[in-house]
Amino acid sequence: MPTIAIDARMINHSGIGTYMKNLINALLGDYHLILLGDPSQIKKYIKSGEIEIINFQSPIYSVSEQFIYPFKIPGCDIFLSTHYNIPLFPIKAKKRIVIIYDANHLAFYNQLSMVQKFYTKLMMNRAVRLSDSIITISEFSKSEILKYLSVDPVKIKVVHFGIDPEMINLELKKVIPLSLIIPEKFLLFVGNVKPHKNLINLLRAFEILLRSGKDYKLIIVGKKEGFITGDKEVFDFVEGNKLLNEHIIFTGHVENCELYNYYRKASVFVFPSLYEGFGIPPLEAMICECPVIASDLTAIPEICGDAVLYIKAMDPADIADKIIILVDDISLRNELVKKGNLQVAKFPLTKFSHNLKEVIKEVINKG
């Protein structure tokens, strides 16, 4: 049985962590897995006793991780880097695979500090050069990697994320007290509060709706502290705006079962992102039968197909108009819910697992 060591330090993160948990579960039983990370975090998500855990808690992107990697990574057939912060020094793995989810840091290169620019260029170029295979999560991300980095296209393998409707439906059946009183009509935003998530234009659209007399609430899943520090433009826009503050609700951190219940009860889920390598939240919303509004940029049309109502992401008036349409048009809402069920079916866990193992098999068999 081949041995695969996996850097699992980001297992508690939102997007990357979700992909990682599915990846580990997909490989269980077929490989001897060794996970590097915080044992207490890993054991929250991975229950199997078949996994060996090596305690490795150096900060992501740190100098210390580079010096400690060679001592922590054991002899193995494959070392799987779950982000582009790969080991730069020699390690005891026979082969390497890296997952590069998108080229966001290169696409928004001008927004980085000088140190961040140096690190991003260095690490992403080394990641594609030193790895035997590169996994990415959409055709869009593959095209972006090829756009910004010098790499043989054959080396890049697209492995779409696999989503599990059964797991989400089981979570929805749990009887839980929600952390807040749900308003009758509310819009839902889920995601890290970073500039490319484009929350600023959703807030501008929301203000248009409120000033036109619409009695909606906007629920933002995430901590208000993260909201304030994550995007200064958003904070400056909201600070002192009494109208917005009266109609925005921050949930703080929520467990999955509560998140899925927000999807289920929301009038509309809004995903105005400017840049996505994949985009898990719209598929989660579809499973929860929540109609979705999304931008038509980057990987989003590839993943969402015709199951969402698309918006012009930089046009608050268009976002506001589309929200009104989708809240009020029952026929359109029902149509998108039906299309959502069909769209989600295109990303089964079985397909994800098969494609992932094919990449691993190819790397192991490569001379």
Side-chain angles (χ1 to χ4, degrees), residues 169-178 257-258 261 265:
N169 286 321
L170 284 173
E171 292 286 329
L172 282 167
K173 290 176 182 177
K174 292 181 180 178
V175 179
I176 58 161
L178 297 178
C257 53
E258 187 169 357
N261 272 283
K265 297 176 187 298

Side-chain angles (χ1 to χ4, degrees), residues 249-293:
I249 301 169
F250 294 91
T251 65
H253 172 76
V254 300
E255 299 299 329
N256 281 341
C257 53
E258 187 169 357
L259 169 62
Y260 300 145
N261 272 283
Y262 289 135
Y263 281 128
R264 174 61 60 86
K265 297 176 187 298
S267 302
V268 173
F269 172 63
V270 189
F271 195 66
S273 184
L274 302 177
Y275 194 98
E276 292 292 328
F278 187 87
I280 297 170
L283 296 181
E284 292 177 332
M286 291 175 198
I287 293 170
C288 298
E289 299 188 338
C290 176
V292 178
I293 284 175

Side-chain angles (χ1 to χ4, degrees), residues 103-345:
N104 177 37
H105 290 163
L106 295 177
F108 294 92
Y109 190 70
N110 290 336
Q111 296 179 10
L112 303 178
S113 68
M114 288 304 296
V115 172
Q116 290 170 330
K117 286 178 179 178
F118 173 78
Y119 181 89
T120 298
K121 281 280 192 181
L122 170 70
M123 296 304 295
M124 293 195 81
N125 277 295
R126 291 293 180 89
V128 299
R129 186 170 67 82
L130 294 177
S131 299
D132 296 279
S133 188
I134 303 153
I135 291 175
T136 194
I137 56 178
S138 64
E139 294 295 339
F140 167 75
S141 284
K142 179 177 179 177
S143 69
E144 288 286 278
I145 293 168
L146 291 171
K147 176 180 176 181
Y148 291 108
L149 300 169
S150 178
V151 55
D152 182 353
V154 175
K155 205 173 180 180
I156 306 173
K157 310 297 180 184
V158 176
V159 179
H160 282 136
F161 182 79
I163 198 155
D164 186 1
E166 185 178 335
M167 181 275 291
I168 291 177
N169 286 321
L170 284 173
E171 292 286 329
L172 282 167
K173 290 176 182 177
K174 292 181 180 178
V175 179
I176 58 161
L178 297 178
S179 58
L180 53 88
I181 298 172
I182 297 291
E184 182 181 351
K185 289 185 178 179
F186 72 92
L187 316 176
L188 182 65
F189 173 91
V190 177
N192 295 322
V193 184
K194 296 179 180 178
H196 74 273
K197 294 296 183 180
N198 197 31
L199 179 57
I200 182 66
N201 279 312
L202 172 56
L203 292 173
R204 288 171 178 150
F206 188 52
E207 184 179 37
I208 291 171
L209 293 172
L210 296 177
R211 295 197 184 282
S212 71
K214 297 297 181 182
D215 187 22
Y216 301 157
K217 299 289 186 184
L218 171 61
I219 292 181
I220 297 175
V221 174
K223 295 180 180 179
K224 190 172 185 178
E225 292 74 21
F227 164 80
I228 290 170
T229 58
D231 188 339
K232 187 177 184 301
E233 186 180 12
V234 168
F235 173 63
D236 290 342
F237 181 71
V238 174
E239 187 180 29
N241 189 321
K242 185 179 179 183
L243 183 64
L244 283 181
N245 281 305
E246 287 177 351
H247 290 82
I248 295 175
I249 301 169
F250 294 91
T251 65
H253 172 76
V254 300
E255 299 299 329
N256 281 341
C257 53
E258 187 169 357
L259 169 62
Y260 300 145
N261 272 283
Y262 289 135
Y263 281 128
R264 174 61 60 86
K265 297 176 187 298
S267 302
V268 173
F269 172 63
V270 189
F271 195 66
S273 184
L274 302 177
Y275 194 98
E276 292 292 328
F278 187 87
I280 297 170
L283 296 181
E284 292 177 332
M286 291 175 198
I287 293 170
C288 298
E289 299 188 338
C290 176
V292 178
I293 284 175
S295 67
D296 60 355
L297 303 173
T298 61
I300 298 171
E302 177 184 342
I303 305 308
C304 293
D306 65 352
V308 306
L309 183 61
Y310 288 106
I311 53 173
K312 298 173 184 175
M314 299 301 290
D315 185 348
D318 184 64
I319 298 172
D321 288 344
K322 296 293 173 53
I323 288 171
I324 293 171
I325 289 170
L326 198 49
V327 169
D328 294 339
D329 191 333
I330 295 175
S331 176
L332 178 58
R333 292 171 62 83
N334 291 337
E335 179 186 348
L336 291 183
V337 167
K338 289 178 182 176
K339 287 181 176 180
N341 289 330
L342 296 174
Q343 189 66 19
V344 167

Side-chain angles (χ1 to χ4, degrees), residues 37-72:
D38 181 344
S40 64
Q41 289 293 331
I42 292 171
K43 288 173 183 176
K44 285 181 183 178
Y45 303 106
I46 310 297
K47 306 298 183 184
S48 173
E50 303 169 28
I51 291 179
E52 180 183 343
I53 301 174
I54 294 176
N55 187 19
F56 179 37
Q57 298 185 49
S58 291
I60 305 295
Y61 309 132
S62 68
V63 173
S64 66
E65 71 178 352
Q66 291 300 331
F67 286 105
I68 298 174
Y69 264 137
F71 300 100
K72 290 290 184 177

